[in-house]
Amino acid sequence: MNFEQFSLDPRIHAGIKGAGYTTPTPIQQQAIPVVLQGRDILGLAQTGTGKTAAFLLPILQRLTKGPLRKVRALIVAPTRELAEQIAQTSATLSKQMKVKTVTVYGGVGKAPQVEALRRGAEIVVACPGRLLDLIGAGQIDLSGVEVLVLDEADHMCDMGFLPDIRRLLKLVPAKRQTLFFSATMPDDIRALAGDILTDPVMVQIGLIAPAETVAHALYPVPDGLKSKLLLAMLQQTQIDRALIFTRTKRRARTLAEMLEKQGYRVAALQGNMAQNRRQAAINGFRGGEYDILVATDIAARGIDVAAVSHVINYDMPDTVDAYTHRIGRTGRAQLTGEAFTFMEQDDEPMVRAIERVLGSPVERRRVAGFDYGGAYPASKSASQSYADHRPQQGRSSAGASHAPAPRSEAARPAAVATAPEAASAKPRRRRRPYWRRQGAQG
Ligand code: AMP
């Protein structure tokens, strides 16, 4: 199976090649033909499945005909990071076309966005607040919108954007194609989808699709020992690029500061930072300047960084959905990853809920040689017996990569033993992406 089957314009095929895609992902296989027919879509899929190209490619095909310099596709996303990422994918895929994509979101100056719109664009990728602001000020004309995409609808709802979305729906043409994507389908999202979609085709890629390319493990630990355990883990694990999640902005900041003091190349990403600092942190992480990003859930939404080898949940997420989204940051597309979760005693109910969704118990591990000081929780059942943590082989993408080593050997915490060199030097095997393993024709 390849992209040729979709009979897209040759300029779009050139864009696909430029993006480096050779085989459509399952959601692309399912959604592209349906969207090309003009049907509405209810897509149950999260970031990491290739859904952005699944909606962008047919949109670009539509834009090969008809008027230019008129907003014809409106894509609404919950965060500016996701909006930027969609716009970048759009620019890559439409490189050979005359199509222009403009982003619209708050937290940055309005004037450049207004000016870009004035110059003309066919695709607008927007966050709801600023979009409504521009509509109210008469600075954007949506009367020509033919396709509306609502991306990560469940996040928009979590972030309180539901009333904004409902207002927005009254301001775009009623006669349009609507593509609706959400990783989860709580009642309010289902109701919204029911209200705005006409005879939609349901496209579903397993609720936690990336789980198949992600190995999960739990590390029972009391809160007071978490930072020491993290340092021990970082020393023992072959980590190419790690995303660490904390419960609060403050914890993200202090943890990043602590890791930086220990010599790690690390940045924090949290909502109190100005947009330019947030973007610098993401770009630095993506570009390899930082090996570790310490983030809160909201700040990390939608960041698309290829080859995140590890997601470490320093604090347990509040919901199963948040767990799903966090681990969706690793094991993306063709890569595999590991998700390590620190677990306090009070986290048991959340762990059980996560295990229910994963469909199997998650291995409890301990970091070998780490002094738990008697705080190590006792095993409760056979499924909760603890395995010693070992650096994993055959999980990550890169063949010759290194732990995010402190800048100098002298900066390494002396108390913690380093993993044997032989273990980290072995070439690591790339696993087949989950959609190929599910029998899709290559
Ligand atoms: P998304 O779910 O749209 O955020 O995409 C997740 C990642 O998969 C992005 O880094 C995309 O560039 C990548 N991707 C999307 N489609 C394909 C494809 N057909 N082949 C390989 N990678 C892809």
Side-chain angles (χ1 to χ4, degrees):
M1 166 123 2
N2 58 36
F3 282 97
E4 297 300 324
Q5 68 186 309
F6 300 129
S7 355
L8 298 165
D9 187 278
R11 291 166 295 171
I12 301 176
H13 280 297
I16 295 170
K17 210 168 157 212
Y21 306 162
T22 50
T23 311
T25 66
I27 195 165
Q28 290 163 2
Q29 287 170 29
Q30 288 182 38
I32 291 173
V34 180
V35 184
L36 284 171
Q37 283 167 20
R39 299 277 307 267
D40 281 4
I41 283 234
L42 177 56
L44 255 167
Q46 65 178 45
T47 303
T49 52
K51 71 177 157 56
T52 312
F55 62 74
L56 278 174
L57 291 170
I59 287 177
L60 292 177
Q61 181 63 31
R62 176 188 281 267
L63 297 179
T64 57
K65 298 196 186 77
L68 285 175
R69 302 294 171 260
K70 203 170 167 196
V71 182
R72 295 173 57 197
L74 175 64
I75 301 162
V76 185
T79 62
R80 38 203 172 185
E81 284 81 11
L82 182 61
E84 273 303 333
Q85 201 177 291
I86 295 168
Q88 275 167 20
T89 306
S90 176
T92 305
L93 295 174
S94 66
K95 203 163 174 203
Q96 307 289 324
M97 301 172 67
K98 290 209 168 71
V99 167
K100 283 256 176 313
T101 306
V102 164
T103 48
V104 161
Y105 48 75
V108 293
K110 220 160 104 168
Q113 296 173 357
V114 173
E115 176 54 22
L117 290 167
R118 202 193 51 75
R119 283 200 301 270
E122 294 76 23
I123 303 179
V124 167
V125 189
C127 295
R130 173 63 60 89
L131 180 62
L132 285 169
D133 194 4
L134 294 184
I135 298 172
Q139 288 164 318
I140 185 167
D141 175 12
L142 297 178
S143 63
V145 168
E146 298 164 30
V147 189
L148 173 71
V149 181
L150 294 182
D151 199 7
E152 299 203 353
D154 49 353
H155 273 163
M156 293 205 257
C157 184
D158 291 348
M159 294 171 78
F161 284 139
L162 209 51
D164 283 355
I165 298 294
R166 290 211 177 262
R167 269 179 67 206
L168 183 64
L169 286 162
K170 297 198 182 99
L171 303 170
V172 290
K175 189 174 169 304
R176 56 160 202 265
Q177 182 180 20
T178 308
L179 313 176
F180 188 103
F181 291 90
S182 191
T184 56
M185 204 41 75
D187 290 347
D188 40 4
I189 294 297
R190 194 175 295 278
L192 177 68
D195 289 350
I196 66 171
L197 296 171
T198 311
D199 189 21
V201 176
M202 174 101 159
V203 172
Q204 181 163 5
I205 297 299
L207 257 186
I208 45 164
E212 299 203 19
T213 52
V214 175
H216 307 253
L218 289 162
Y219 289 82
V221 61
D223 188 39
L225 285 181
K226 280 184 178 177
S227 59
K228 284 202 179 95
L229 185 75
L230 178 67
L231 288 173
M233 178 182 270
L234 291 175
Q235 285 287 311
Q236 292 194 11
T237 313
Q238 187 164 352
I239 287 173
D240 305 327
R241 223 185 242 158
L243 193 49
I244 302 179
F245 284 96
T246 60
R247 198 171 42 240
T248 63
K249 299 176 210 172
R250 188 153 172 265
R251 280 167 78 86
R253 201 187 62 235
T254 51
L255 185 59
E257 283 166 5
M258 185 281 283
L259 290 171
E260 192 177 20
K261 278 203 193 99
Q262 294 293 328
Y264 286 96
R265 304 193 312 158
V266 54
L269 180 71
Q270 36 90 2
N272 283 350
M273 289 158 59
Q275 172 62 11
N276 57 354
R277 284 190 52 221
R278 285 164 56 152
Q279 201 58 51
I282 294 172
N283 291 347
F285 188 53
R286 188 179 284 139
E289 186 188 336
Y290 305 119
D291 302 305
I292 302 174
L293 197 62
V294 187
T296 54
D297 286 297
I298 298 221
R301 261 170 200 169
I303 17 172
D304 176 23
V305 177
V308 170
S309 63
H310 290 79
V311 167
I312 301 175
N313 294 315
Y314 188 83
D315 293 319
M316 184 67 67
D318 289 337
T319 62
V320 178
D321 286 352
Y323 182 82
T324 303
H325 283 287
R326 287 180 180 187
I327 61 131
R329 308 270 84 82
T330 186
R332 292 162 77 81
Q334 316 209 20
L335 308 174
T336 58
E338 288 180 303
F340 296 155
T341 302
F342 288 4
M343 172 188 172
E344 296 173 48
Q345 219 138 35
D346 291 354
D347 294 330
E348 272 289 349
M350 184 50 61
V351 168
R352 276 197 297 277
I354 291 167
E355 288 177 326
R356 262 198 306 279
V357 171
L358 292 176
S360 61
V362 178
E363 184 183 58
R364 270 71 168 165
R365 289 194 199 153
R366 51 182 300 156
V367 171
F370 180 73
D371 180 8
Y372 284 87
Y376 196 73
S379 155
K380 286 185 185 155
S381 69
S383 70
Q384 293 188 343
S385 60
Y386 302 114
D388 273 358
H389 171 94
R390 300 206 196 294
Q392 293 285 295
Q393 318 274 296
R395 279 287 177 195
S396 183
S397 62
S401 49
H402 309 275
R407 275 182 220 113
S408 70
E409 284 299 311
R412 279 176 193 269
V416 181
T418 312
E421 286 308 317
S424 54
K426 269 191 198 161
R428 290 181 291 167
R429 196 162 39 86
R430 180 188 287 241
R431 284 177 83 207
R432 274 162 77 76
Y434 74 92
W435 60 81
R436 302 237 174 87
R437 280 187 275 123
Q438 280 175 342
Q441 305 301 305

